[in-house]
Amino acid sequence: MSAPSHLTARPGRPLTGVVAAPGDKSISHRALILGAMATGITEIEGLLEGDDVLATARAVEAFGAGVERLGPGRWRVTGHGGFRTPDGVIDCGNAGTGVRLLMGAAAGYAIPVTFDGDASLRKRPMKRVTGPLAEMGARFEWAREEDRLPLTLTGGGLAGLEFVQTVASAQVKSAILLAGLNAAGRTVVVEPEKSRDHTERMLAAFGAHVQVNDESAGWRVTLEGGQALTGTDVAVPGDPSSAAFPLAAGLIVPGAEVTVRNVMLNPLRTGLFETWLEMGADLTVSNRRAAGGEEVGDLTARYSELTGVVVPPARAASMIDEYPILAATAAFARGGTVMRGIGEMRVKESDRIALMAAGLQACGVRVEEEPEGFVVTGGRVPGGATVTTHGDHRIAMSHLILGLAAEQAVLVDEPGMIATSFPTFVEMMRGLGAEIG
């Protein structure tokens, strides 16, 4: 069945219920890639079956791994200790994380690979990854435009390097580390602020030794080349980025109480939750436990009177994907919510600063857009607008959540891309009582 051309969210009754967070997208990508690089069988439980992750599953199969779907969220990857030359182009669809991590992994093998993606992914910059990989010895040819897909990578013969990031990026760090597994010598990545550490944790689970040190210059991650990976079992925890949407609805819809189970609580991913608490959110955590090497818990959000805050720019690395939904909740807060130091948002699936500002303004919210951020002044949210999403899933979902608490319905165009990260979003929200259709 084809995706709808638009979706509309209408204000209605209070939202209530308990739902489970979909599997974390970042960990799902990494489980498939590391399983394919390893020798032996990797059993994955809770894999996110969104379009982005499925594109990565097809990619690692093209690289020679055995990939089987055993049931909902249950997958088996059989790795043969390396990548082979694929028969055709590796099409990563809309998956920025997928393509950048796959380039890092493939760079370690003496094979040629052509990477491509959809129209959105073709607009996203790639040199942040290809630059350091080229320093390690990988070769790149650009088919259309330098810094953009499609490109052809020829790997092998890599040497380790010390790479100092000016802006913390888990994608860049992860690509370098994956390449470093098959590079001669030592690979080091230094970050000004610590970005999400799923790759370091998962490399350890697959048998690699990774050293992480907190130094005055930032976080220093060190990996010796020539390490082999062994297949293992991976339990994927719930994605905090996806859990943010039903939780946000719980905070802004009068009378609402929403619980999301199995949410990952890695401190490098909980910046949004910390910000909401600073805004006065009634957000509680229960049943803390371990799953897949990560702390998880059940989060409950109840309708709250929020107050605007200044979000520390240093927090951006822990919540860069959550600023759109933070902006939507800030529309209902008293006073201004200041979000700066987030220029990275302009080179995501879309220019998320510009699109969130335009969408909120169309809904009657006061927004001051800046080069590296924006300020949202909350209060009354009239709604009643049609929002242009440019096919960006987070822009679409954020405005749909806003529409559930606005005075009038909010319509978003091009909602089909929601399936890239959260294929059950509409079904889940309807189960809580949301009027989305």
Side-chain angles (χ1 to χ4, degrees), residues 141-206:
E141 296 177 24
W142 307 91
R144 295 185 310 116
E145 177 186 355
E146 193 165 334
D147 197 26
R148 299 291 189 270
L149 296 177
L151 64 81
T152 298
L153 176 159
T154 303
L158 303 187
L161 87 167
E162 179 165 324
F163 186 77
V164 180
Q165 296 204 74
T166 55
V167 177
S169 167
Q171 291 182 358
V172 175
K173 173 179 64 177
S174 298
I176 295 169
L177 293 176
L178 294 179
L181 281 172
N182 292 301
R186 178 177 296 172
T187 295
V188 179
V189 180
V190 179
E191 299 183 294
E193 301 287 341
K194 195 173 184 182
S195 66
R196 58 183 65 177
D197 60 354
H198 305 313
T199 298
E200 296 95 306
R201 290 172 180 255
M202 198 168 290
L203 281 168
F206 278 82

Side-chain angles (χ1 to χ4, degrees), residues 51-292:
D51 291 348
D52 281 5
V53 174
L54 295 178
T56 295
R58 291 190 295 271
V60 298
E61 187 172 35
F63 281 123
V67 179
E68 304 170 75
R69 184 179 187 270
L70 307 177
R74 294 180 53 242
W75 290 66
R76 176 184 293 137
V77 179
T78 303
H80 305 292
F83 284 8
R84 73 178 186 196
T85 303
D87 291 334
V89 173
I90 298 297
D91 184 349
C92 292
N94 190 244
T97 297
V99 71
R100 291 180 177 127
L101 269 59
L102 285 164
M103 283 196 287
Y109 304 104
I111 59 174
V113 187
T114 298
F115 290 96
D116 203 353
D118 66 9
S120 173
L121 192 59
R122 280 186 168 199
K123 296 176 183 176
R124 299 182 67 180
M126 293 295 146
K127 270 203 167 178
R128 60 187 57 192
V129 168
T130 64
L133 293 180
E135 289 184 46
M136 298 175 78
R139 284 82 72 203
F140 294 91
E141 296 177 24
W142 307 91
R144 295 185 310 116
E145 177 186 355
E146 193 165 334
D147 197 26
R148 299 291 189 270
L149 296 177
L151 64 81
T152 298
L153 176 159
T154 303
L158 303 187
L161 87 167
E162 179 165 324
F163 186 77
V164 180
Q165 296 204 74
T166 55
V167 177
S169 167
Q171 291 182 358
V172 175
K173 173 179 64 177
S174 298
I176 295 169
L177 293 176
L178 294 179
L181 281 172
N182 292 301
R186 178 177 296 172
T187 295
V188 179
V189 180
V190 179
E191 299 183 294
E193 301 287 341
K194 195 173 184 182
S195 66
R196 58 183 65 177
D197 60 354
H198 305 313
T199 298
E200 296 95 306
R201 290 172 180 255
M202 198 168 290
L203 281 168
F206 278 82
H209 176 69
V210 184
Q211 186 175 344
V212 182
N213 297 104
D214 181 6
E215 300 181 351
S216 58
W219 291 90
R220 185 181 186 87
V221 184
T222 304
L223 173 77
E224 295 289 345
Q227 299 190 61
L229 304 180
T230 302
T232 189
D233 293 344
V234 178
V236 180
D239 191 336
S241 298
S242 296
F245 295 103
L247 291 171
L251 295 178
I252 64 175
V253 175
E257 180 172 332
V258 173
T259 297
V260 183
R261 295 186 288 106
N262 196 42
V263 181
M264 178 169 52
L265 299 175
N266 183 313
L268 299 175
R269 296 287 301 279
T270 55
L272 173 66
F273 304 149
E274 294 171 35
T275 303
W276 276 343
L277 290 171
E278 291 169 1
M279 296 173 75
D282 185 347
L283 183 69
T284 57
V285 182
S286 60
N287 194 21
R288 290 180 181 266
R289 57 201 184 276

Side-chain angles (χ1 to χ4, degrees), residues 303-316:
Y303 174 68
S304 305
E305 293 187 3
L306 303 175
T307 302
V309 296
V310 177
V311 184
R315 195 174 287 170

